[in-house]
Amino acid sequence: MRFSIYRYDPESGAKPHMQDYEIEFDPSGKKVLDALIAIKEQLDESLAFRRSCREGVCGSDGLNINGVNRLACVTALEGLKEPICIRPLPRLAVIRDLIVDMGQFFQHYRAVKPYLVNLEPEPENERLQAPEERAELDGLYECILCGCCTTACPSFWWNPDKFLGPAALLQAYRFIADSRDQATDERLDYLEDPYRLFRCHGIMSCVEVCPKGLNPTAAIGRIKALLVKRAL
Amino acid sequence: MSAQGGITAALGNVSEDDWHWHMYDTVKGSDYLGDQDAIEFMCRNAPSAVYELEHMGLPFSRLDNGKIYQRPFGGQSQNFGGEQAVRTCAAADRTGHALLHTLYQRNIAARTQFFDEFYALDLIRDQDGYVLGVSAMEIETGRPWLFESRVTLLATGGGARIFRHSTNAHINSGDGLGMALRAGLPLEDMEFWQFHPTGIPEIGSLITEGVRGEGGYLLNKDNERFMPRYAPHAQDLASRDVVSRAIAQEILAGRGCGPHGDFVYLKVDHIGADTIKERLPGIRELSMQFAGVDPCEAPIPVTPTAHYMMGGIPTNLHGQVVAPERYGPEEGVPGLYAVGECACVSVHGANRLGGNSLLDLVVFGRAAGNHAIEYLRDNPIPRKLPADASDLAAGRLARWDRPTGGERVPALRAEMQRILQEHCGVYRREDLLKAGIEKLNGVEARLADAVIDDHSQVFNTARLEALELENLLPIARATLVSALARTESRGAHSREDYPDRDDDHWLRHTLYSLANDQLDYKPVRLKPLTVETFQPKARTY
């Protein structure tokens, strides 16, 4: 199989470049991560990439594969056009090869206060939540923070420091939607800003790439609707 | 974090329940090797630990009355061995993911400072045995660091990557265990590894026991539901060691499925596509991605796969690391704690029940935190770092800076994984284990000459893998040596040459130390904190 992979090591003094690899590899049933590991083990151990769970849960191997952001570990090799072109996630600073600096991404995540706020005294047992209320969290809590959506978003490319991006906004809505959370007003206050939320123009790249099948655009739409409702 | 099924606690939301019953099941599940004081502590504290997680925001699935959803899991009973209990609290089949994110979110709320992508190398210990922090490497820059700290808590997870077929993530290289061994501390019960009955063949991804909890069952190539032959009462929800052995027996008897007859089928489509999509959405996703099968339509191929390390760094009820030191068989190591899979307290004994690992880590994680607060109050003044605090770590880093031209790390790692898979799998035997140790000696000798080509300081993952192999190898060694010594079959440790449990000689824990492969022993604590002892008896399901 043929691959073309983005290489950059700041220590080498060389400029970033694409490097071609050819490896004997039976793609049937295998994922892109399997091929990356084979290349690293057999051809070039200096190729650097993150990986851990190899089953789409840890979110560490988000990459741009043939032009689309996706997780290497769940992307089947079969059906990908060769040479398979693998680059780091777009718009983030590259530390080395396929490894990007996720600092900004997590800063935005922290900024939406991604934790339950409930100031009432804790009950002896669980707080009750009806199955319908809990169902509101489906499609939100499954996010693995891989960054595929945010780095696929043109609004984020344009204002990476000011626009929170789809992943952080999805999590902002995850707590707004939680019947146990009491900070909806504060959360909406923070989001009511020309950049943080309103740079989303509904391009829906995030929905297209999310490896978990989540829909950040819909969540952002619901936040906008709540802001409108509040203003009336 | 990939844990799917849930966290076990006797909340009684679905069926009548009692923590005493949970305790009985856990003691029995451990094949009486679990320490009963620790098991009582865990099961008593389970409901409050789960409620605390709920208060933190964990998105548990819910029952119609708004309470936390619970599902039946293997080895659970009412009334001390009676009917199946429904005890495992779940957030669909993503409980571990939900738990991890909830705890991370609480840390953000608490403004915890994370040193992300730092790799811990070794413990710093002074002459009096106090642990004073760790040496580490900043992965992005390759810079070595010393973290000076009055309290160090290891939460480094398991090391099932010593096996070729493992459900574990790549990073489960047991780094905390390697650190403990190099600091002269022992590892407890390392012969006990859980082979999860239902991993996807070759790939290793786990298919949760929750599938069987929701009504799924196993089939051999004759389309026979075979578990009733092995466990007439609990059937497919017998303990994991029992189900794994049953599958292995079916495969050995030529009743495995597929062209090589090396797996069985897990059928679940009969519970209906809607239930699968609501209760097991992650499993459906994994199964379609890695087995090419939609469980709503066809059975999932599964085979026993290395999953969980029951042994680990010995700890007490406070999560404090204990070791046989100067004054007796067991003494706290001042300043050092371990929780989760890297620790052995021991609540799982010879076999862990599903849903008890998330419970173990939150209950003892909290206990360790509380004890550490006291320890810090009692030890307000930092002790002086020893002059050689960084020597061990500096030596390990320098070793991989050597010029190129020797054996490769991935090849050695693959060989170790093959050895453990072939010589120390579901069934063990003296000659196999001895041959395994011989082969592992060879791999260790070759590691001395191994090299890496990549000498960049920036995010050098080749060097990380080399450092991880230095942790995996002694864990593999501890496993083989401990498994050879234990001449009985108990829980997940099945010796073909010693098929019976031997309570007269082996109601005790092994303690492996690196120096000369030394094995020490300590008795199982049969006396619980407040209730009566569950006396060892024959274990049937």
Side-chain angles (χ1 to χ4, degrees), chain B residues 473-541:
Chain B
L473 274 171
I475 297 170
R477 183 165 199 89
T479 300
L480 286 165
V481 170
S482 307
L484 178 63
R486 187 175 287 272
T487 48
E488 66 157 352
S489 289
R490 183 186 296 271
H493 175 67
S494 307
R495 288 280 301 253
E496 287 174 39
D497 41 357
Y498 298 93
D500 298 318
R501 197 174 80 192
D502 178 1
D503 288 338
D504 291 340
H505 297 98
W506 286 107
L507 214 48
R508 54 181 182 164
H509 301 287
T510 53
L511 290 170
Y512 171 88
S513 301
L514 209 47
N516 305 318
D517 285 342
Q518 186 180 317
L519 275 183
D520 296 300
Y521 300 94
K522 64 177 181 182
V524 173
R525 286 195 300 275
L526 291 169
K527 198 173 156 30
L529 298 170
T530 64
V531 299
E532 292 282 307
T533 295
F534 290 107
Q535 292 297 342
K537 55 179 184 184
R539 178 168 166 262
T540 53
Y541 284 97

Side-chain angles (χ1 to χ4, degrees), chain B residues 398-406 408 449-453 455:
Chain B
R399 178 250 174 279
W400 292 104
D401 280 339
R402 250 191 259 165
T404 58
R408 328 292 320 172
D449 297 320
V451 292
I452 53 176
D453 289 333
H455 295 292

Side-chain angles (χ1 to χ4, degrees), chain A residues 31 45 50 55 96 127, chain B residues 62 117 289 453-454 458:
Chain A
K31 313 294 178 195
E45 77 175 19
R50 291 189 178 103
E55 56 188 16
R96 176 173 170 181
R127 291 196 176 97
Chain B
R62 299 290 171 151
E117 295 187 328
Q289 272 164 349
D453 289 333
D454 185 353
V458 179

Side-chain angles (χ1 to χ4, degrees), chain A residues 143-154:
Chain A
C143 173
I144 58 172
L145 301 175
C146 63
C148 283
C149 62
T150 294
T151 59
C153 172

